[in-house]
């Protein structure tokens, strides 16, 4: 094919690009408008009186024009088993993405996509060239066009595996693959689905309330000069005079409003969260206003991690994350497979996806030899802090002594939680920061293994063992600290029997 057909995005992408750029420039725009005032200058030429509105209008027009130009100059086509993209506002950019490097095509349906039957397509590759962006992104195309990309990708991968025997068979092969793609998309095996009750518990325990409160604090710090703190102080002082009960009710209502907002945000982002199995891929769909569809190839999953948050554990819940190789960061590397799931049902759901994975709890716990190392360092660096608090805030600083038993108790908690086990060609490691994490990893997926020993470790015959697993373009580190050095060496010996090289680091 000498001349390839070139495709354009839907015209709505011009509006989406404008809004995206406007969102990025929102904070400077707000600062500019507030700095100039809404009414501008009361004296002088007429345009100075409406300077803020003129600046805002000119900016909107400029962003709209730039969005239209970006849409006009964006084209994509298929050539030489590659997805080729040409774009650029002032500088023309070309990007060629081989189909055999594409890891997944992730779809998003936003509020501007759904009325027109469109999707946004993010092209994730095995080795992304950017930390924050996908290898390629088609802002708005029809679902038929997105399906055409899948067909072209399937054809390219099939041609690489085997060549047609009979000349002229390429057209027939293309039709067969198109039918195959359509057939593979329909019979999805549903594995997991979140209920409304799960969404409520997820919102309450996810830290969304803290994010909202911290966002309010950041906003107040950025616009401190514009907030009438004196008036607010006078109003709050007058309100406190109504009594402790009224103040308590007001605080409760405020926290309730924040909780409702957190629930609403979680509900919108995780609505209809469903995990399905499509032969060699995991398909995750979620979202109400913006519906997202993420595809994760099973062959790229490096580790499965069970996370047990202490608060969720009270309700019998946990979460499951998976680490995937390639594709950059975010949803392409560390994926929330089950954001919230009944702890008693974890093994059942995971067994449907990973039938070869041993989903048992590790039975080898740590001995008491390494126990002091879990709290000794924290204890030592906190002593100067406690001393300073006592000195400068005496006698109230004496309450800081209560930190000591908290540090020791937390270290003992971490020591008691740590465990490990080797099952055939699989390593299970359990460790705790605040949440308890249990990592299930096959030997062939471990990139490297490290054993670390400090001077004090060698005196007590203990060591720290770390299994490094690829996660996106980075790594995930499963670590069991301060274990018996003999046990650490057994894990290294088990790993060294494979093909991967191991690394023993000493400090």
């Amino acid at each position: 094919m000498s001349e390839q057909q070139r495709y354009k995005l839907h015209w709505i992408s011009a509006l989406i690009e404008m809004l995206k750029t406007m969102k990025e420039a929102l904070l400077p725009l707000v600062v500019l408008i507030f700095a100039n005032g809404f009414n501008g200058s009361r004296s002088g030429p007429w345009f100075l009186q409406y300077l803020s509105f003129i600046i805002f209008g000119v900016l909107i027009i400029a962003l709209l024009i730039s969005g239209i130009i970006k849409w006009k100059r964006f084209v994509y086509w298929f050539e030489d088993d590659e997805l080729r993209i040409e774009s650029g506002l002032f500088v023309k950019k070309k990007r060629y993405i081989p189909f055999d490097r594409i890891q997944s095509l992730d779809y998003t349906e936003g509020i501007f996509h759904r009325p027109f039957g469109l999707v946004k397509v993010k092209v994730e590759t095995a080795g992304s060239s950017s930390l924050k962006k996908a290898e390629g992104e088609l802002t708005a195309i029809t679902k038929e066009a997105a399906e055409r990309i899948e067909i072209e990708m399937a054809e390219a991968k099939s041609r690489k595996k085997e060549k047609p025997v009979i000349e002229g068979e390429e057209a027939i092969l293309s039709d067969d693959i198109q039918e195959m793609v359509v057939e593979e998309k329909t019979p999805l095996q549903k594995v997991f689905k979140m209920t409304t009750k799960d969404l409520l518990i997820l919102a309450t325990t996810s830290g969304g309330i803290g994010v909202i409160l911290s966002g309010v604090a950041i906003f107040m710090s950025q616009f401190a000069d514009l907030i009438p703190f004196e008036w607010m102080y006078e109003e709050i002082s007058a309100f406190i005079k109504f009594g402790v009960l009224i103040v308590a009710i007001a605080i409760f209502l405020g926290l309730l409003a924040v909780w409702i907002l957190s629930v609403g945000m979680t509900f919108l982002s995780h609505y209809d969260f469903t995990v399905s199995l499509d032969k060699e891929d995991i398909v995750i769909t979620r979202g109400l206003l913006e519906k997202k569809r993420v595809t994760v190839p099973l062959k790229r999953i490096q580790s499965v991690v069970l996370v047990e948050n202490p608060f969720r554990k009270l309700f019998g819940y946990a979460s499951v994350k998976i680490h995937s190789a390639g594709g950059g960061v975010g949803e392409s590397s560390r994926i929330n497979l089950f954001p919230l799931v009944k702890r008693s049902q974890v093994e059942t759901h995971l067994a449907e996806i990973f039938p070869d994975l041993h989903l048992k709890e590790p039975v080898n716990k740590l001995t008491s030899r390494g126990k002091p190392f879990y709290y000794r360092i924290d204890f030592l660096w906190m002593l100067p802090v406690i001393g300073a608090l006592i000195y400068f805030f005496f006698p109230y600083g004496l309450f800081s002594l209560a930190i000591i038993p908290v540090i020791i108790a937390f270290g003992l908690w971490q020591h008691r939680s740590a465990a490990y086990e080797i099952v055939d060609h699989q390593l299970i490691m359990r460790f705790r920061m605040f949440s308890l994490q249990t990592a299930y990893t096959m030997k062939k997926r471990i990139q490297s293994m490290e054993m670390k020993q400090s001077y004090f470790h060698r005196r007590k015959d203990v060591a720290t063992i770390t299994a490094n697993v690829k996660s996106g373009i980075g790594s995930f580190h499963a670590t069991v600290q301060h274990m018996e050095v003999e046990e650490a060496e057994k894990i290294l010996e088990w790993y060294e029997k494979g093909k991967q090289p191991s690394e023993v680091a000493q400090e």
Side-chain angles (χ1 to χ4, degrees):
M1 293 181 292
S2 59
E3 186 69 26
Q4 300 294 332
Q5 181 180 358
R6 302 199 172 195
Y7 303 92
K8 296 187 67 66
L9 303 179
H10 192 272
W11 63 264
I12 199 67
S13 61
L15 178 60
I16 295 175
E17 287 292 340
M18 183 197 76
L19 294 175
K20 186 191 299 184
T21 308
M22 189 174 178
K23 178 183 176 182
E24 295 173 354
L26 183 61
L27 184 60
L29 180 63
V30 171
V31 172
L32 181 65
I33 291 177
F34 273 101
N36 287 277
F38 287 100
N39 295 323
S41 175
R42 295 183 179 275
S43 59
W46 66 269
F47 58 85
L48 291 179
Q49 300 180 20
Y50 302 98
L51 183 61
S52 297
F53 294 101
I54 293 174
I55 293 174
F56 183 78
V58 170
L59 183 61
I60 292 295
I61 295 173
L63 292 178
L64 180 60
I65 293 174
S66 67
I68 294 174
I69 295 175
K70 286 181 180 179
W71 164 60
K72 284 286 188 181
R73 300 193 64 172
F74 193 104
V75 293
Y76 70 95
W77 69 98
F78 315 111
E79 186 176 345
D80 294 336
D81 292 341
E82 293 177 335
L83 171 62
R84 299 189 174 186
I85 299 175
E86 185 178 291
S87 62
L89 180 60
F90 299 107
V91 179
K92 184 177 290 187
K93 302 176 184 178
K94 293 183 178 181
R95 176 165 292 177
Y96 298 167
I97 307 173
F99 281 120
D100 57 357
R101 285 188 58 229
I102 295 179
Q103 174 181 333
S104 64
L105 299 174
D106 299 335
Y107 303 118
T108 303
E109 296 180 47
I111 55 177
F112 294 102
H113 295 89
R114 290 191 179 184
F116 302 96
L118 307 174
V119 292
K120 179 175 76 174
V121 180
K122 293 176 65 176
V123 181
E124 300 286 357
T125 61
S128 177
S129 60
S130 174
L131 289 173
K132 297 182 179 180
K133 295 182 179 179
E135 192 71 25
E137 182 174 300
L138 307 179
T139 308
I141 61 175
T142 63
K143 294 180 180 180
E144 292 76 13
E147 185 176 331
R148 182 63 194 170
I149 298 176
E150 292 188 6
I151 295 171
E152 292 285 345
M153 184 169 63
E155 290 179 354
K157 292 182 177 180
S158 178
R159 280 194 295 268
K160 187 174 182 179
K161 290 181 179 179
E162 56 180 272
K163 296 181 180 179
V165 179
I166 304 174
E167 188 176 354
E169 191 179 359
E170 187 174 356
I172 301 175
L173 181 62
S174 176
D175 294 337
D176 292 340
I177 293 175
Q178 182 169 354
E179 293 178 3
M180 178 188 67
V181 172
V182 175
E183 289 176 359
E184 288 182 353
K185 289 182 66 176
T186 50
L188 293 178
Q189 176 189 347
K190 187 179 293 185
V191 177
F192 172 77
K193 184 178 176 66
M194 289 187 66
T195 63
T196 304
K197 179 184 175 182
D198 295 339
L199 288 173
L200 292 175
I201 297 177
L202 177 66
T204 306
T205 59
S206 64
I209 296 176
V211 172
I212 295 173
L213 293 177
S214 61
V216 173
I218 293 173
F219 177 82
M220 294 181 68
S221 64
Q222 292 292 326
F223 299 97
D225 296 337
L226 304 175
I227 299 174
F229 285 108
E230 294 183 2
W231 174 82
M232 292 173 61
Y233 177 77
E234 293 176 358
E235 292 295 325
I236 293 173
S237 300
F239 182 71
I240 292 176
K241 295 179 181 179
F242 284 101
V244 177
L245 180 61
I246 301 298
V247 174
I249 293 174
I251 294 175
F252 171 77
L253 292 176
L255 293 176
L256 180 63
V258 173
W259 178 79
I260 292 174
L261 182 59
S262 174
V263 171
M265 292 170 56
T266 304
F267 186 82
L268 292 176
S269 62
H270 288 79
Y271 176 79
D272 197 29
F273 189 101
T274 306
V275 178
S276 304
L277 197 59
D278 183 14
K279 292 188 177 180
E280 298 181 352
D281 298 321
I282 298 174
V283 180
I284 301 174
T285 57
R286 64 181 177 91
L288 181 59
L289 296 180
E290 186 178 56
K291 188 174 182 180
K292 295 185 177 182
R293 179 179 181 268
V294 178
T295 303
V296 186
L298 283 169
K299 63 182 180 181
R300 294 197 176 275
I301 294 176
Q302 308 296 299
S303 182
V304 179
V305 183
L306 172 66
V307 182
E308 297 178 79
N309 182 293
F311 299 116
R312 294 176 181 174
K313 198 171 183 178
L314 294 175
F315 301 96
Y317 284 90
S319 61
V320 176
K321 301 179 185 295
I322 53 178
H323 292 268
S324 175
V329 294
E331 290 187 340
S332 302
S333 56
R334 188 183 65 179
I335 300 113
N336 270 322
L337 183 64
F338 306 145
L340 195 72
V341 60
K342 275 287 187 181
R343 180 62 181 85
S344 58
Q345 300 174 0
V346 169
E347 287 79 5
T348 304
H349 292 313
L350 286 179
E352 295 185 55
I353 305 175
F354 310 102
D356 298 329
L357 207 62
H358 294 274
L359 300 168
K360 57 189 297 187
E361 291 190 6
V363 297
N364 299 322
K365 297 190 175 183
L366 304 188
T367 63
S368 59
R369 185 178 297 178
K371 187 184 296 183
F373 290 95
Y374 275 90
Y375 55 81
R376 183 180 295 173
I377 296 178
D378 293 334
F379 175 76
L380 290 176
W381 75 262
M382 281 301 297
L383 281 179
V385 177
I386 294 173
L389 290 173
I390 293 176
Y391 179 80
F392 290 105
F393 299 98
F394 186 84
Y396 301 105
L398 292 172
F399 287 107
S400 63
L401 292 172
I403 299 175
I404 296 176
V406 173
I407 292 174
I408 296 175
F410 184 70
L412 294 176
W413 190 34
Q414 288 181 312
H415 174 267
R416 188 172 63 251
S417 301
Y420 63 95
E421 187 175 1
I422 295 173
V423 183
D424 297 330
H425 296 285
Q426 178 184 319
L427 177 63
I428 306 173
M429 303 181 76
R430 188 173 69 189
F431 52 95
R432 178 189 294 278
M433 291 299 291
F434 182 71
S435 296
L436 183 66
Q437 300 186 51
T438 307
Y440 302 91
T441 311
M442 303 299 292
K443 181 198 288 189
K444 63 182 180 180
R445 301 299 186 186
I446 300 176
Q447 298 293 310
S448 64
M449 186 80 74
E450 296 179 86
M451 187 180 79
K452 296 182 180 180
Q453 272 190 304
S454 66
Y455 168 76
F456 300 102
H457 277 148
R458 288 193 290 271
R459 290 185 59 185
K460 292 292 185 179
D461 287 330
V462 296
T464 294
I465 195 79
T466 302
N468 301 308
V469 177
K470 191 169 180 61
S471 178
I473 60 175
S475 297
F476 164 67
H477 311 286
T479 304
V480 176
Q481 296 180 322
H482 320 309
M483 64 190 305
E484 295 270 357
V485 68
E486 295 85 358
E487 298 300 316
E489 289 175 347
K490 286 181 181 179
I491 296 176
L492 275 180
E493 183 180 356
W494 165 82
Y495 179 70
E496 287 170 353
K497 290 180 180 179
K499 295 181 180 180
Q500 302 96 328
S502 62
E503 179 182 354
V504 181
Q506 292 192 345
E507 298 178 344

